[in-house]
Amino acid sequence: MLQDDFGRILREHGLKKTKQRVLVLEALSSCGDKHLTAEEIYEIVKAEFPEIGLATVYRTIQLLLELNLVESVQLGDGYARYEIGKINERKAHRHHHLICLECGKVISFRDDLLDELEKRIKESVSFQVINHEVKLYGYCETCLEQKRRIEEEGTCTAFGGAS
Amino acid sequence: MLQDDFGRILREHGLKKTKQRVLVLEALSSCGDKHLTAEEIYEIVKAEFPEIGLATVYRTIQLLLELNLVESVQLGDGYARYEIGKINERKAHRHHHLICLECGKVISFRDDLLDELEKRIKESVSFQVINHEVKLYGYCETCLEQKRRIEEEGTCTAFGGAS
DNA sequence: TTCGCTGCAAATCCTTTGCATGATT
DNA sequence: AATCATGCAAAGGATTTGCAGCGAA
């Protein structure tokens, strides 16, 4: 299904369907919300196909980006991260990222509120918005609980922690 | 004024006030909304102080970031960009970036709508939002007009342009 | 068979770092 | 005078590219 679609898309663009390309797409596909780096994709694919090279992974990602099958996200940690796009889910646009400052976990979050913001921009500034990207930094549930627990335990610690 | 503040802040942190540091801060300060790259800052400062090295610019930026005088923005073009922060204006948080896909121009945009989004997130997901970053990609006024003009001129061209 | 795709290694790009010299307090 | 900051050049890390050989059409 996804395989056939992919083959068709490649064919339509005069590109060849190779094991490497399929495996890279599958890695991204199966890791849905994990926002993999190139290196991570490389490791995943290498488990099943050890002869693959990192350069091929980068080239394939580039290809998938151009085909609009994959989108890239910059989380500000110096790595480009990639997530599967339109092909198997339609959550392509209009989803934002919650990024945990503690553990780095990324949660995707769907919300159309930004449509409102875009409208507002159109009215006040002359700028035609095509796409948007929202990142919210904070603390995820797990890390929040952990912090809470530590605070409770440490209530009697006399030291304030000036930082 | 700004100079003195800067001197004070440096002194408070046991740092020395050097010509290079002042010039880097001034470059960022005077180019308010331009979101300069390190290389651009380097060029600006070099005009007035040719013996400065790029490494010093990077080190100074790092310093200014740590002092919270400057903030960094990733526009996804592979360069880190920097903008002056809290010191001379209080527009630190809550301003978003409109990025022109055509000419790369960056327009800063102030809006508190995201507070609403943050509240909504707090309700639906257990995630404590600390800060957020919004980038809107599209076309700026100048580029829109240019496109319009080209379209008008080219109305009679028979070719559709299958892309 | 043809031509694109791959793997490897070298190259590139932005940014950081080591070290001896130079400037600031 | 004592450090800290600088400039230079070399190192670093992510991504890219060149090229000969391999594999899909």
Side-chain angles (χ1 to χ4, degrees):
Chain A
M1 35 193 339
L2 194 139
Q3 279 255 7
D4 290 348
D5 281 345
F6 188 38
R8 180 180 48 74
I9 293 169
L10 288 172
R11 216 173 310 116
E12 281 171 6
H13 289 261
L15 298 164
K16 287 176 179 170
K17 180 175 170 183
T18 66
K19 186 139 199 171
Q20 289 90 331
R21 289 179 175 172
V22 171
L23 286 172
V24 167
L25 183 65
E26 275 179 0
L28 282 159
S29 210
S30 63
C31 289
D33 274 357
K34 298 213 76 172
H35 308 86
L36 304 170
T37 65
E39 197 85 33
E40 285 166 350
I41 296 170
Y42 175 55
E43 291 303 327
I44 292 171
V45 175
K46 215 162 62 167
E48 198 163 324
F49 193 83
E51 53 269 56
I52 197 170
L54 182 54
T56 301
V57 173
Y58 275 107
R59 276 187 287 233
T60 305
I61 292 167
Q62 203 53 48
L63 195 101
L64 296 174
L65 285 172
E66 279 158 23
L67 293 176
N68 268 307
L69 299 176
V70 157
E71 297 181 21
S72 82
V73 208
Q74 304 276 116
L75 263 40
D77 58 353
Y79 296 79
R81 286 163 187 281
Y82 307 95
E83 57 182 340
I84 196 100
K86 290 142 191 159
I87 194 171
N88 59 342
E89 308 173 50
R90 68 203 54 197
K91 58 147 198 180
H93 279 335
R94 310 295 118 109
H95 81 277
H96 321 314
H97 292 114
L98 304 173
I99 301 154
C100 182
L101 294 166
E102 190 69 34
C103 67
K105 181 163 56 187
V106 181
I107 301 161
S108 291
F109 183 83
R110 205 181 176 296
D111 194 298
D112 294 319
L113 184 65
L114 272 273
D115 294 342
E116 172 70 24
L117 177 62
E118 290 190 2
K119 212 169 69 191
R120 214 186 281 192
I121 284 162
K122 210 170 291 167
E123 283 157 13
S124 58
V125 199
S126 313
F127 192 96
Q128 184 191 5
V129 177
I130 299 294
N131 198 358
H132 62 236
E133 187 187 324
V134 180
K135 290 182 245 173
L136 298 119
Y137 297 91
Y139 298 102
C140 74
E141 188 163 16
T142 317
C143 291
L144 270 181
E145 268 174 27
Q146 213 149 45
K147 283 175 94 185
R148 221 173 281 139
R149 213 170 304 133
I150 288 163
E151 261 163 44
E152 275 167 26
E153 280 172 12
T155 311
C156 41
T157 335
F159 316 112
S163 170
Chain B
M1 38 188 347
L2 194 136
Q3 279 254 11
D4 290 348
D5 280 345
F6 189 37
R8 180 181 47 76
I9 293 170
L10 287 173
R11 215 173 311 115
E12 281 172 5
H13 289 261
L15 299 164
K16 287 176 180 170
K17 181 174 170 184
T18 66
K19 185 139 200 171
Q20 290 91 330
R21 288 176 176 173
V22 172
L23 287 171
V24 166
L25 184 64
E26 275 180 0
L28 282 160
S29 211
S30 63
C31 289
D33 274 357
K34 298 214 75 172
H35 308 86
L36 304 169
T37 65
E39 197 87 33
E40 285 165 351
I41 296 169
Y42 175 56
E43 291 303 328
I44 291 171
V45 175
K46 215 164 59 169
E48 198 164 324
F49 193 83
E51 52 271 56
I52 196 172
L54 182 54
T56 302
V57 173
Y58 275 107
R59 274 187 287 233
T60 305
I61 292 167
Q62 203 53 48
L63 195 100
L64 297 173
L65 285 171
E66 278 158 23
L67 293 175
N68 267 307
L69 300 176
V70 157
E71 296 181 22
S72 82
V73 208
Q74 304 276 116
L75 263 41
D77 58 355
Y79 296 80
R81 286 161 187 282
Y82 306 94
E83 57 182 338
I84 195 99
K86 290 142 192 158
I87 194 170
N88 60 343
E89 311 172 47
R90 69 203 53 195
K91 57 150 199 177
H93 278 337
R94 308 294 118 111
H95 80 274
H96 320 314
H97 292 113
L98 304 172
I99 300 154
C100 182
L101 294 167
E102 191 68 34
C103 66
K105 180 163 58 189
V106 182
I107 301 160
S108 289
F109 183 86
R110 204 182 177 297
D111 195 297
D112 293 320
L113 184 65
L114 271 273
D115 294 342
E116 173 69 24
L117 177 60
E118 289 190 1
K119 211 169 68 191
R120 214 185 280 193
I121 283 162
K122 211 170 290 168
E123 282 159 13
S124 58
V125 197
S126 315
F127 193 95
Q128 183 191 7
V129 177
I130 300 294
N131 198 358
H132 63 236
E133 189 188 321
V134 181
K135 291 183 239 169
L136 297 120
Y137 297 91
Y139 299 102
C140 73
E141 189 162 15
T142 317
C143 290
L144 270 180
E145 269 173 27
Q146 213 150 46
K147 283 175 93 183
R148 222 174 278 138
R149 212 171 304 132
I150 288 163
E151 261 165 43
E152 275 166 24
E153 281 171 11
T155 312
C156 42
T157 337
F159 314 113
S163 167

